[in-house]
Amino acid sequence: MEKLLKTEEEIMLADMARGFLDEAAPVARLRRMRDEGRTHDPELWKQMAEMGWAGVLVPEEAGGSDMGHTAAGVIAEEMGKTLTASPFIGTAVIAATALRRVADDRAKAALARIASGEAIYALAIDEGAKFDPDGVRMEARREGNGFRLSGTKKFVVDGGNADRLLVLARTGEGLTLFDLPADRDGITRAPRPMIDSRDAADVHLENVEATGEDVLGAVEDAMAVLRPALRAGQAALAAEMAGLAAGAFGMTVDYLKERKQFGVPIGAFQALQHRAAHLWCETEVTASAILHAGRMLDHDPDNAALAVSLAKARATSTAILAVQEGVQMHGGIGMTDEYDMGFYMKRARVAAEWLGDYGHHAKIVAQKRGFEG
Amino acid sequence: MPDTDLDAFRAELRDWLEQNCPEEMRDGARDEHSICWGGKNWKFASDAQRIWLERCVTRGYTVPTWPVEYGGAGMNRDQERIFHEEMARIGARYPLQSFGIWMLGPALLKFGTEAQKQYFLPPIARGEIRWCQGYSEPGAGSDLAGVQTRCEDMGEHWLVNGQKIWTSYADKADWIFALLRTDREAPKHKGISFVLIDMTAPGVSTKPIRLISGASPFCETFFDNVKVPKEHAPGVSSVVGEVNRGWDVAKYLLTHEREMISAGGAVMGGGRPLMEVLANAETGRTDPILQADAMRAEVDGLAFTLTLERYKDQAEAGSGVGDASAMLKYYGTELNKRRLELVMAAAGSEALDWNDERAPTWLRTKANSIEGGTSEVMLSIISKRILGLPG
Ligand SMILES: Cc1cc2nc3c(=O)[nH]c(=O)nc-3n(C[C@H](O)[C@H](O)[C@H](O)COP(=O)(O)OP(=O)(O)OC[C@H]3O[C@@H](n4cnc5c(N)ncnc54)[C@H](O)[C@@H]3O)c2cc1C
């Protein structure tokens, strides 16, 4: 097993990311974006692309920095700490991993556009209220040499601003993944006002034409490409949530030292101390699962399912606990829009649902450990 | 260490284990009854247990990471990991377990003089001397630095008077490492010494206490005018570390005790994996609430197991575990209690019989979050020393 310690390079990457994000993307930036009614920050994404983040999983010959999944997790974790909104997970992690599996000339060109920050991808899978890729029902009807897609995709993260959509649809017996330009005839996008102030949309497809050229990977074999991409995305999202938990926890511990009641800092009360200490334990245990998932994706991706689901499940429960304790231990101020804690709570809820909730991933863990349920 | 060297190490080890581990010692047993504790009073449960111990002793496998000169095998972390993997592969029992291995040994390696190490460590490694831990007293539990058992300097020797309690296996042990008050005027942490005492010395007596699990593994330990020589052998002091500075030794030892107890929280810790229990139990297959709880415990258990690994990697890389041992202890023991509650629930009335091993195991786990420092004390350590909260 790979060592569960961050390497020198990973620590440097984290420090560098932290330095950049504190300067360029504190929570205040998300707040400003929300107040201005925007859900996308092209300027920030451009800077991230220049630093090699957009190409974190893109091969060097396509202009990427090819740092690997653990490194992607390190970046995502730092973004989570200050709730940085960007297309990082959907584009730099999920779409890049999918395209890399395909590895034909078209995919290589697409990877280059990801690395340069030109292309934004959104993953269109969900049709109901829960993540269930294997249960997708949208049909891609065969017509002539191509397909016609009709139906609605929900909770398409970055769907309002993306220029490409990865659409999962049923073709005959199996599932097929389509890589479509977002402006193709018959596609309409209805942005949803999300609680985390980020971009998510419902995407309607009405008799949208697709050819074999638009298929990513093989027809009726979407999962060969999509499954690894989803795992990469789930691990990165878990890392973001671990960062989110750390961010909320850090604010809370600071507040416990500052705020005085009954003549003492509230952090002197054992009732709060023990809850804070318990929360810290949860963050430590989750950190191990995050690092392990990154290492598995880098070194043994075909066997990473358990590690990834473990990371997403743990990150979900820890982040949810961190924001609940965060609000409670702040008292009234924690409930105000003016204070940042609410942003953490709302992002945690959205991230908890995206790419599979706690139950989805806990069941995978149980299955992999020999319990079918 | 290069992978090729490790591969060779593994191959050689595997070969040795295949040839030397008796069949009866390969049942993977990790329960209290299967443990070989060693010591002068030890009665081997079988020839196989004796032979297994003897063979392991020749290779230093009872204490794989201790230096060779003190009876260990001098393994580094990678080798140790392989050692445990290879042992687990054939379901080998540990040849020897003891408080000497878990607690006193590490403390002596850090604080002992060369003479103390040479005198005390090899007999621990060989399973010849069994130690017990004399920390708690009736008036000093969580507030351990409040120990009152007196240890007076009589020039030629120390004179010990007082009482310890909850001393695990005091009635079976050969020696005791005890926290004693050597200065009653000094602030409470500054007047304690860490003293090594022969349990056969006149004036030492023990009285077993029965536990809720039915067993009586711990005792009251009385010291009535016990004379402890200043040196147990020429140059071998009976005090570890400096006189009145025993608290430092005690605390260091506790971090090892806590890590050891926390290992029970690992998914491989004891008994069968939870998911397997669930898959085989009648209620496990049908009760959705039990299933959900068990899945949560499994998720937490796997992540905790990785955390134990991560902290071992960290310790080896030099940053140590330190106060975070409180986290491992708290989390691991609470997890283990949760797990055994689920094991009992999955088994239903089948496990309610004293003859069923699950009942005493379940009851025993309740002590995990008390012994070695309670969960509440662990949380206080974390909040003060790690989070820097006031008070
Ligand atoms: C099975 C078993 C084996 C043991 N073996 C040994 C042994 O070999 N050698 C040895 O020396 N000792 C041994 N012990 C003793 C053990 O270390 C003590 O029981 C433990 O330290 C707690 O002390 P106490 O029992 O006096 O409880 P107390 O300290 O009286 O605690 C009672 C309750 O109060 C809580 N509490 C106390 N102080 C605080 C505080 N400041 N803040 C919040 N809550 C607090 C505790 O968490 C606990 O819930 C053993 C105990 C058990 C159960």
Side-chain angles (χ1 to χ4, degrees):
Chain A
M1 198 165 95
E2 292 296 316
K3 286 240 179 333
L4 287 177
L5 281 180
K6 285 201 174 129
T7 61
E8 292 282 327
E9 293 96 83
E10 285 157 4
I11 292 169
M12 268 166 54
L13 177 65
D15 287 348
M16 207 197 68
R18 190 69 266 131
F20 168 75
L21 293 166
D22 278 341
E23 185 73 17
V27 185
R29 182 146 183 160
L30 174 69
R31 178 186 292 278
R32 183 152 31 100
M33 199 172 87
R34 179 200 69 173
D35 292 347
E36 292 169 3
R38 293 180 291 114
T39 55
H40 179 44
D41 196 338
E43 187 52 36
L44 186 61
W45 185 234
K46 194 163 153 266
Q47 285 176 291
M48 290 181 180
E50 277 159 15
M51 287 188 299
W53 294 5
V56 65
L57 295 173
V58 173
E60 284 173 14
E61 64 265 26
S65 54
D66 203 10
M67 291 188 271
H69 294 279
T70 310
V74 167
I75 296 170
E77 184 174 342
E78 294 307 320
M79 292 197 205
K81 287 183 188 163
T82 40
L83 304 178
T84 305
S86 84
F88 182 74
I89 291 176
T91 300
V93 177
I94 297 177
T97 304
L99 288 163
R100 211 169 167 163
R101 283 265 160 163
V102 179
D104 57 17
D105 287 344
R106 236 167 7 108
K108 277 186 198 137
L111 281 165
R113 283 196 301 277
I114 287 179
S116 68
E118 286 162 74
I120 295 178
Y121 280 77
L123 188 63
I125 293 181
D126 294 7
E127 295 166 2
K130 288 285 173 183
F131 175 76
D132 180 20
D134 296 298
V136 156
R137 306 175 73 141
M138 175 188 275
E139 220 190 330
R141 197 164 31 82
R142 276 180 198 274
E143 196 182 277
N145 276 339
F147 303 88
R148 291 280 182 169
L149 287 81
S150 292
T152 296
K153 292 292 186 180
K154 292 187 171 162
F155 192 21
V156 179
V157 170
D158 299 327
N161 295 289
D163 27 47
R164 310 268 335 166
L165 297 172
L166 297 180
V167 181
L168 185 63
R170 198 157 284 284
T171 44
E173 292 302 296
L175 293 168
T176 302
L177 189 62
F178 296 88
D179 176 358
L180 305 173
D183 58 3
R184 177 145 315 163
D185 277 353
I187 296 180
T188 48
R189 303 188 268 177
R192 303 273 302 253
M194 299 296 284
I195 53 173
D196 67 346
S197 311
R198 300 196 194 192
D199 180 7
D202 288 351
V203 175
H204 306 289
L205 294 91
E206 204 179 316
N207 222 15
V208 174
E209 204 178 332
T211 67
E213 291 273 281
D214 297 319
V215 173
L216 212 55
V219 173
E220 293 189 3
D221 195 16
M223 287 306 168
V225 171
L226 186 58
R227 193 83 70 199
L230 287 173
R231 280 188 195 137
Q234 286 154 345
L237 183 58
E240 185 204 310
M241 296 182 85
L244 181 154
F249 180 63
M251 277 176 76
T252 305
V253 170
D254 288 347
Y255 194 69
L256 292 179
K257 293 175 186 172
E258 256 166 56
R259 168 72 174 164
K260 286 201 172 136
Q261 283 294 281
F262 301 96
V264 294
I266 55 172
F269 300 129
Q270 199 181 58
L272 299 189
Q273 288 183 344
H274 285 192
R275 281 163 63 178
H278 172 79
L279 179 51
W280 180 77
C281 294
E282 295 289 3
T283 63
E284 278 294 298
V285 171
T286 294
S288 318
I290 303 293
L291 191 54
H292 177 60
R295 294 270 185 264
M296 286 298 288
L297 286 170
D298 283 330
H299 297 282
D300 192 5
D302 294 340
N303 293 310
L306 172 62
V308 168
S309 283
L310 181 64
K312 179 64 166 64
R314 278 289 318 181
T316 298
S317 59
T318 302
I320 298 287
L321 180 67
V323 295
Q324 295 190 85
E325 292 291 67
V327 169
Q328 180 65 23
M329 292 194 210
H330 276 83
I333 202 171
M335 286 300 295
T336 61
D337 182 69
E338 195 188 326
Y339 203 72
D340 287 340
M341 189 55 80
F343 281 85
Y344 284 86
M345 180 168 269
K346 288 175 276 193
R347 175 59 187 165
R349 188 65 250 153
V350 174
E353 288 299 327
W354 193 27
L355 304 175
D357 65 4
Y358 183 92
H360 175 91
H361 289 289
K363 273 180 230 147
I364 292 174
V365 169
Q367 251 165 33
K368 296 279 170 198
R369 296 281 296 164
F371 182 67
E372 289 300 330
Chain B
M1 184 175 258
D3 284 354
T4 47
D5 290 4
L6 287 179
D7 290 344
F9 174 82
R10 187 190 292 275
E12 202 270 342
L13 174 66
R14 184 175 291 189
D15 206 45
W16 186 88
L17 288 174
E18 274 306 340
Q19 287 177 22
N20 289 280
C21 184
E23 210 50 55
E24 289 163 76
M25 294 291 109
R26 297 188 189 196
D27 58 1
R30 294 280 183 271
D31 56 292
E32 300 250 327
H33 305 292
S34 66
I35 295 177
C36 174
W37 289 102
K40 289 181 188 153
N41 304 319
W42 184 249
K43 290 192 185 49
F44 287 99
S46 64
D47 274 351
Q49 193 185 53
R50 181 180 50 77
I51 291 167
W52 181 221
L53 174 62
E54 285 169 4
R55 288 180 181 166
C56 285
V57 165
T58 62
R59 304 267 296 193
Y61 288 170
T62 56
V63 283
T65 59
W66 289 13
V68 177
E69 63 264 39
Y70 307 128
M75 288 185 201
N76 63 25
R77 164 94 176 97
D78 287 328
Q79 293 170 326
E80 184 201 12
R81 187 171 40 77
I82 290 173
F83 176 75
H84 288 299
E85 282 169 8
E86 289 302 314
M87 292 277 284
R89 198 185 67 88
I90 60 164
R93 294 189 190 182
Y94 293 117
L96 179 69
Q97 292 185 290
S98 71
F99 287 24
I101 293 177
W102 293 324
M103 302 182 213
L104 182 63
L108 281 176
L109 283 168
K110 182 156 170 87
F111 290 96
T113 61
E114 187 53 41
Q116 284 173 324
K117 291 181 201 173
Q118 283 181 13
Y119 188 78
F120 289 114
L121 292 177
I124 293 174
R126 292 194 295 264
E128 291 164 3
I129 297 291
R130 183 171 178 183
W131 288 84
C132 65
Q133 178 187 32
Y135 275 28
S136 307
E137 294 180 5
S142 298
D143 185 12
L144 181 60
V147 288
Q148 293 303 333
T149 297
R150 283 167 67 174
C151 179
E152 290 167 278
D153 190 342
M154 308 303 281
E156 284 290 280
H157 59 83
W158 300 101
L159 187 68
V160 180
N161 277 291
Q163 186 199 337
K164 294 287 172 184
I165 195 166
W166 321 129
T167 327
S168 295
Y169 307 111
D171 52 340
K172 310 224 164 44
D174 305 305
W175 283 68
I176 185 167
F177 50 91
L179 282 189
L180 305 177
R181 185 141 309 272
T182 34
D183 185 345
R184 293 203 288 164
E185 311 303 322
K188 68 179 179 179
H189 295 92
K190 301 252 165 68
I192 298 170
S193 298
F194 190 101
V195 186
L196 309 177
I197 303 173
D198 186 339
M199 292 292 277
T200 60
V204 181
S205 60
T206 60
K207 195 169 146 224
I209 308 168
R210 192 174 148 109
L211 279 173
I212 55 174
S213 57
S216 309
F218 60 14
C219 300
E220 290 178 283
T221 305
F222 302 94
F223 298 93
D224 185 12
N225 283 318
V226 177
K227 287 183 188 168
V228 178
K230 287 280 174 80
E231 292 187 344
H232 287 300
V236 181
S237 171
S238 49
V239 175
V240 180
E242 283 173 46
V243 173
N244 290 329
R245 301 305 299 271
W247 187 245
D248 297 337
V249 184
K251 270 198 313 190
Y252 178 79
L253 182 145
L254 278 172
T255 64
H256 280 271
E257 179 177 6
R258 286 168 188 164
E259 276 175 64
M260 187 275 294
I261 298 172
S262 70
V267 283
M268 316 308 280
R272 284 158 54 206
L274 200 52
M275 290 297 110
E276 211 178 285
V277 169
L278 212 55
N280 292 316
E282 208 176 308
T283 43
R285 276 179 274 121
T286 53
D287 177 357
I289 294 175
L290 180 64
Q291 285 177 6
D293 288 350
M295 286 181 193
R296 277 182 189 278
E298 184 73 359
V299 165
D300 295 343
L302 285 168
F304 180 71
T305 307
L306 291 168
T307 306
L308 288 173
E309 291 297 321
R310 183 162 69 87
Y311 270 93
K312 279 188 201 159
D313 287 342
Q314 198 163 305
E316 197 202 31
S319 26
V321 173
D323 292 331
S325 66
M327 178 269 291
L328 299 177
K329 205 278 180 178
Y330 163 67
Y331 210 92
T333 58
E334 293 296 337
L335 199 58
N336 211 21
K337 288 199 297 185
R338 242 168 98 193
R339 192 177 294 139
L340 265 297
E341 282 296 330
L342 291 164
V343 166
M344 291 299 282
S349 62
E350 298 284 325
L352 301 180
D353 183 326
W354 276 122
N355 292 316
D356 191 292
E357 56 167 300
R358 286 169 288 199
T361 307
W362 159 70
L363 286 164
R364 180 62 182 80
T365 60
K366 302 305 176 196
N368 296 158
S369 52
I370 299 171
E371 60 198 330
T374 67
S375 283
E376 291 73 23
V377 168
M378 296 305 101
L379 290 171
S380 289
I381 289 174
I382 293 164
S383 48
K384 301 219 169 66
R385 301 213 201 119
I386 294 175
L387 305 182
L389 293 174

